[in-house]
Amino acid sequence: MSKISLMINNINELKLDVESIIIGIKKFNNLNMLELTIDQLKKINIDKEIFVSINKPIHDSEIEELTDILLSLDNINISGVLFDDISVYQICKEKKLNLNLIWSNIHQTTNYNSINVWNKLGVKSVFISPDITLKEIIDIKNNSKSSVFVPIYGMFDIFTSNRFLISNYLKYIHESKRNTKYYIENNNIKYPIYENENGTHIINGNVLNGLDEVIELFDNNIDYLVINSYMIDNIDKVIDNFNSVKKMYLNKNIDKDKINKLSTELNSSNKGFLYKETIYKVKSDENE
Amino acid sequence: MNEIELLAPAGDLERLKWALLYGADAVYIGGRDFSLRANATNFSIDEIEEAVKFAHNLKKKVYVTVNIVFHNNDYSGLENYIKALEKCKVDAVIVSDIGAIDIIKKISPKMELHISTQSSTMNYKTALFYKKLGVKRIVLARECNKNEIKNIIDKAKIDTECFIHGAMCVGVSGKCVLSNYMTNRDSNRGGCSQICRWDFDLYANDEKLENETKFTMCSKDLSMARYIKDMIDIGVKSFKIEGRMRSIYYIATVVHTYRKIIDEVLSSKGNYKFNKNYETILNRVANRESVPQFFDKSPGVEEQYYLGRQELSNQDFLGIVLDYDEKKDIAIIEQRNYFKIGDEVEIFGPNKETISFKINSIIDEDNNIIDVARHPRQIVKINVPVKVCKNDIMRIKIF
């Protein structure tokens, strides 16, 4: 049965009713979630699976620090490490660490061939890209032996730069940076944009809501349904509703109208790419 | 061939020939599928075969990009495509997807593999992983600085390729899907609609920052002209120019300029001094300012484009030499931009010093004396005091 995994953004969210938690490692995480140091991580004592995210492109100058972090994590009781940069895998192999690695190159985990190659290399889990269709997600699950994490609710990262784009702009227009949230707007959607020590990140401003799809995901033995709490005011409600659907499924008492109502309560009908394929070849007259 | 490789882009056969004639040691091209420039003209298999023959005759190389981020169904046809590329005798394929690498290794075990910059390799541990996988070369991320490049080369001992010139992705390659979310065009499968060059309203919470200069992420282009010697010194093997969709004038000019820089470094015997005029030539041909970006520092406001950026149409390119009559000192020119009697111009070409002169006569195809060559692709004769050759290029005198 699928577990619900929460990318937390606040330490208080540890107590929410989910089976699994994802937390970023300070300085080495690229995705939008709470980041903790190794020492802070050690102090967490909860009866849930804890996955940590080392999800940034790693610069050569960071290899030593990364190695120390991985060695520390190997001695902590965590359920796994989500990684983007292959150096994480390489260091774990060289140091013979027993960490459960989850391939999590968020925009490139888009096909089962690659996932199966990683599986043969010992990486038995994958965080699926939010940029692909529901059919592609299910095909991946049905054609690979890996356990899969599927982003199903929330706002996910859509851009990473090593440049400090907000600071650069504010400097150019002679304004000071404020201690506030920044957004860029396109087509009436406001996309959160923020800087951390690694550069600039942009988050999809349109909340993905896949609650209507979870029955199909349960049917196809998806291992983890991932919810990101970033800027979600009613995260308790979101989790309650996902758990309600899960309970229905377990009780074999599926009521599609009720699921639809629960979904509507979450104030987003955005299905992301679940039913929409991206295009990459355009007609010549569209490509000026 | 030199151990140092100058690698040029080619969007089609014509561009490929110009790039190789003007001094590239190798070119990279895209086929009709599996390439990250899905909307470039790109090459059919027959054209790839012709391209390889042309390059190999000059003892030069052709690399083919197979560097999309694959979705499940995208693998359809890949095996046959790789077999066809092998039959064409391409020198390497440039890949990023580990599933594609696996298939290529099975289908064509001898095929040389280069890891695309799409994989954003920034450290030696990742380079070691690819090396063990059988990869011959890594195109490093554009975000690597000098020390990082050197350390990767020293510790991984693998061939490295670095971008030296052209447009930059402002995001880390492979980590930007703005195009997917704002236009439904898939940036990781070749459909990027260059959102990073758009202007946006920037908000601080609900407050729109009012300024005549809108927020943009647009960066200046990359130019490593003044750092070529440093790059050679630290062991970079291949020097890559961006721009498969660029014009032949751009390709010829940029390739020619970097060819001269590399040759000057290699022949300098320790006394190399960078000629700043090269940067002027490179800036003019692109109509965009180009800077070193990450190599020597972390890019800041000076590396970004805001209001007032200049992307004017370039009219430096005046014509192509079709033939030269040595007895009469007359060159036959195919016009590409307006020029007239009295204009100061220069002609450059492969393996020759650039020559400058003033146009003192123009004769059209009907042997009429004219003052101005104003028609696109008009064939005219002009007096040129020094021998020039077919496919030399005439441009406005820059210095």
Side-chain angles (χ1 to χ4, degrees):
Chain A
M1 184 63 201
S2 310
K3 296 175 181 173
I4 295 177
S5 189
L6 180 65
M7 296 166 78
I8 65 170
N9 282 272
N10 179 319
I11 201 76
N12 295 325
E13 291 172 358
L14 285 171
K15 62 176 187 272
L16 291 173
D17 185 16
V18 293
E19 294 98 332
S20 155
I21 294 286
I22 304 174
I23 302 171
I25 291 290
K26 189 79 183 155
K27 266 183 74 181
F28 283 85
N29 169 56
N30 239 8
L31 303 181
N32 44 324
M33 67 181 99
L34 179 71
E35 296 176 353
L36 298 178
T37 63
I38 294 290
D39 285 341
Q40 289 169 324
L41 195 64
K42 282 178 182 171
K43 289 175 187 159
I44 293 177
N45 183 17
I46 52 169
D47 187 23
K48 294 179 182 6
E49 291 179 327
I50 295 180
F51 294 93
V52 300
S53 167
I54 299 182
N55 255 79
K56 73 180 284 291
I58 307 290
H59 278 270
D60 203 81
S61 53
E62 297 169 318
I63 288 294
E64 203 172 316
E65 193 178 354
L66 172 66
T67 305
D68 290 343
I69 286 170
L70 291 171
L71 288 168
S72 299
L73 289 174
D74 199 39
N75 292 313
I76 302 176
N77 186 22
I78 56 167
S79 301
V81 176
L82 285 82
F83 76 101
D84 175 316
D85 197 285
I86 293 173
S87 58
V88 172
Y89 170 85
Q90 183 68 14
I91 292 167
C92 288
K93 280 285 159 192
E94 287 177 6
K95 301 288 182 188
K96 297 186 170 51
L97 305 185
N98 289 316
L99 291 167
N100 171 36
L101 295 180
I102 299 113
W103 183 39
S104 180
N105 191 335
I106 186 167
H107 302 300
Q108 304 196 9
T109 49
T110 52
N111 69 78
Y112 52 78
N113 276 326
S114 295
I115 291 163
N116 289 339
V117 173
W118 278 114
N119 189 289
K120 280 184 204 160
L121 290 167
V123 176
K124 304 295 184 186
S125 304
V126 59
F127 187 105
I128 303 274
S129 170
D131 316 328
I132 63 175
T133 66
L134 182 62
K135 182 181 181 309
E136 288 173 325
I137 292 168
I138 290 168
D139 282 348
I140 285 173
K141 181 58 191 172
N142 292 334
N143 288 281
S144 77
K145 291 177 185 166
S146 294
S147 64
V148 299
F149 291 67
V150 174
I152 199 67
Y153 189 91
M155 297 154 69
F156 295 89
D157 185 282
I158 58 173
F159 172 84
T160 294
S161 173
N162 277 180
R163 298 163 193 263
F164 296 91
L165 298 168
I166 303 172
S167 298
N168 287 342
Y169 172 71
L170 294 175
K171 191 174 176 185
Y172 185 81
I173 64 170
H174 305 294
E175 281 213 16
S176 302
K177 197 169 173 198
R178 305 178 202 177
N179 185 22
T180 186
K181 286 196 184 320
Y182 284 92
Y183 303 84
I184 56 172
E185 187 181 47
N186 178 60
N187 213 11
N188 296 321
I189 298 171
K190 285 167 82 175
Y191 296 78
I193 178 170
Y194 69 92
E195 292 177 349
N196 63 8
E197 56 268 79
N198 298 316
T200 308
H201 307 272
I202 299 175
I203 310 301
N204 182 17
N206 215 346
V207 177
L208 170 68
N209 177 8
L211 184 58
D212 304 282
E213 283 69 32
V214 294
I215 296 296
E216 193 170 353
L217 294 172
F218 292 152
D219 280 343
N220 283 281
N221 303 311
I222 296 299
D223 303 273
Y224 293 89
L225 302 178
V226 181
I227 296 171
N228 190 334
S229 70
Y230 181 75
M231 293 181 70
I232 304 295
D233 295 332
N234 58 341
I235 190 63
D236 300 56
K237 178 73 180 164
V238 171
I239 288 167
D240 282 351
N241 288 11
F242 271 82
N243 279 329
S244 295
V245 177
K246 191 170 171 178
K247 204 172 287 175
M248 274 186 218
Y249 188 84
L250 286 168
N251 293 335
K252 297 178 180 169
N253 183 24
I254 297 165
D255 180 338
K256 287 191 176 169
D257 290 338
K258 194 170 179 193
I259 293 172
N260 186 256
K261 185 169 174 292
L262 290 169
S263 178
T264 307
E265 287 172 1
L266 301 183
N267 298 323
S268 174
S269 58
N270 172 39
K271 297 297 177 190
F273 291 104
L274 291 175
Y275 301 103
K276 183 173 68 173
E277 288 189 32
T278 51
I279 56 168
Y280 54 102
K281 284 190 176 177
V282 295
K283 292 174 189 168
S284 57
D285 58 352
E286 290 179 288
N287 189 35
E288 294 304 317
Chain B
M1 188 184 295
N2 289 325
E3 194 180 335
I4 301 298
E5 176 185 272
L6 179 59
L7 176 58
D12 55 31
L13 267 172
E14 186 189 21
R15 290 174 172 90
L16 176 139
K17 290 174 182 176
W18 282 87
L20 293 175
L21 288 173
Y22 270 76
D25 299 304
V27 289
Y28 62 100
I29 64 176
R32 297 271 159 86
D33 295 301
F34 312 114
S35 164
L36 271 180
R37 294 289 176 272
N39 297 301
T41 309
N42 290 327
F43 289 67
S44 66
I45 288 294
D46 287 345
E47 288 168 331
I48 291 173
E49 189 174 14
E50 185 180 339
V52 172
K53 278 181 186 163
F54 183 86
H56 286 183
N57 277 339
L58 297 171
K59 300 196 181 334
K60 300 188 176 196
K61 294 183 177 180
V62 176
Y63 309 139
V64 179
T65 54
V66 187
N67 56 350
I68 62 166
V69 173
F70 286 73
H71 289 210
N72 297 329
N73 291 337
D74 292 333
Y75 288 96
S76 173
L78 178 63
E79 292 188 7
N80 287 338
Y81 184 63
I82 295 301
K83 285 177 191 167
L85 292 183
E86 187 179 42
K87 202 174 163 195
C88 291
K89 297 189 169 79
V90 303
D91 296 283
V93 292
I94 304 169
V95 286
S96 66
D97 185 283
I98 197 166
I101 292 171
D102 191 58
I103 288 170
I104 294 167
K105 284 175 66 177
K106 284 176 187 156
I107 295 297
S108 178
K110 290 182 180 170
M111 180 68 80
E112 187 169 309
L113 295 170
H114 297 179
I115 293 297
S116 168
T117 197
Q118 192 71 2
S119 297
S120 281
T121 305
M122 299 183 186
N123 64 74
Y124 78 95
K125 291 289 185 187
T126 301
L128 285 171
F129 168 85
Y130 284 127
K131 186 178 178 183
K132 196 174 175 194
L133 213 58
V135 165
K136 178 78 165 51
R137 178 189 291 186
I138 297 177
V139 188
L140 295 181
R142 292 173 173 98
E143 286 79 7
C144 290
N145 65 34
K146 181 181 175 181
N147 289 338
E148 289 172 333
I149 296 170
K150 182 176 187 314
N151 208 41
I152 291 167
I153 294 168
D154 290 349
K155 289 188 173 165
K157 298 189 181 355
I158 188 168
D159 285 359
T160 55
E161 179 177 307
C162 291
F163 278 93
I164 55 168
H165 200 88
M168 294 282 288
C169 281
V170 75
V172 177
S173 291
K175 311 263 177 262
C176 171
V177 287
L178 293 174
S179 178
N180 303 40
Y181 284 83
M182 294 187 184
T183 65
N184 201 38
R185 286 170 59 166
D186 197 326
S187 54
N188 284 334
R189 291 195 287 174
C192 179
S193 47
Q194 300 191 316
I195 306 295
C196 59
R197 296 194 177 192
W198 290 12
D199 288 341
F200 292 94
D201 287 325
L202 181 69
Y203 289 81
N205 275 335
D206 290 331
E207 181 193 344
K208 184 157 95 177
L209 300 187
E210 297 291 350
N211 194 289
E212 63 179 15
T213 305
K214 293 262 196 180
F215 176 79
T216 179
M217 294 171 262
C218 187
S219 79
K220 291 176 184 172
D221 286 357
L222 172 71
S223 172
M224 293 298 297
R226 74 178 77 165
Y227 288 110
I228 294 299
K229 181 179 185 305
D230 300 68
M231 295 178 78
I232 289 173
D233 287 347
I234 62 176
V236 176
K237 181 95 171 175
S238 179
F239 294 71
K240 184 172 202 166
I241 296 164
E242 178 275 345
R244 273 187 276 161
M245 292 154 94
R246 301 278 196 167
S247 69
I248 59 165
Y249 176 63
Y250 176 91
I251 290 169
T253 305
V254 175
V255 168
H256 183 253
T257 304
Y258 278 101
R259 175 79 276 152
K260 290 180 84 165
I261 296 171
I262 289 170
D263 289 348
E264 285 172 15
V265 171
L266 294 177
S267 63
S268 66
K269 296 176 182 169
N271 294 318
Y272 176 73
K273 187 163 185 281
F274 176 63
N275 180 349
K276 289 180 182 171
N277 287 347
Y278 291 138
E279 285 181 330
T280 307
I281 294 170
L282 292 169
N283 282 337
R284 280 183 74 107
V285 72
N287 298 310
R288 286 167 56 84
E289 206 175 330
S290 52
V291 292
Q293 303 287 356
F294 286 88
F295 188 76
D296 57 336
K297 63 186 175 312
S298 181
V301 64
E302 294 301 322
E303 281 71 33
Q304 299 294 128
Y305 263 129
Y306 297 108
L307 190 73
R309 62 181 187 262
Q310 291 193 323
E311 293 182 48
L312 301 172
S313 171
N314 186 304
Q315 303 199 336
D316 286 0
F317 181 22
L318 300 180
I320 296 170
V321 177
L322 299 182
D323 204 354
Y324 185 73
D325 184 335
E326 288 187 60
K327 288 178 186 164
K328 297 178 182 170
D329 290 345
I330 295 288
I332 301 174
I333 304 284
E334 183 183 275
Q335 190 260 33
R336 291 300 171 97
N337 271 302
Y338 172 104
F339 61 86
K340 63 182 186 307
I341 287 176
D343 282 351
E344 297 273 358
V345 302
E346 57 193 26
I347 290 182
F348 69 100
N351 308 312
K352 67 154 52 82
E353 289 299 315
T354 302
I355 59 162
S356 304
F357 60 98
K358 187 188 279 189
I359 293 179
N360 55 24
S361 69
I362 306 174
I363 298 170
D364 71 10
E365 276 188 295
D366 299 324
N367 284 324
N368 299 312
I369 296 172
I370 56 177
D371 296 329
V372 179
R374 66 172 85 247
H375 305 298
R377 296 193 179 249
Q378 182 177 9
I379 307 296
V380 297
K381 295 174 190 167
I382 63 171
N383 179 256
V384 179
V386 180
K387 182 186 175 187
V388 292
C389 302
K390 181 176 166 37
N391 293 331
D392 285 353
I393 286 177
M394 185 169 87
R395 70 183 172 205
I396 287 171
K397 186 168 184 281
I398 294 177
F399 301 106

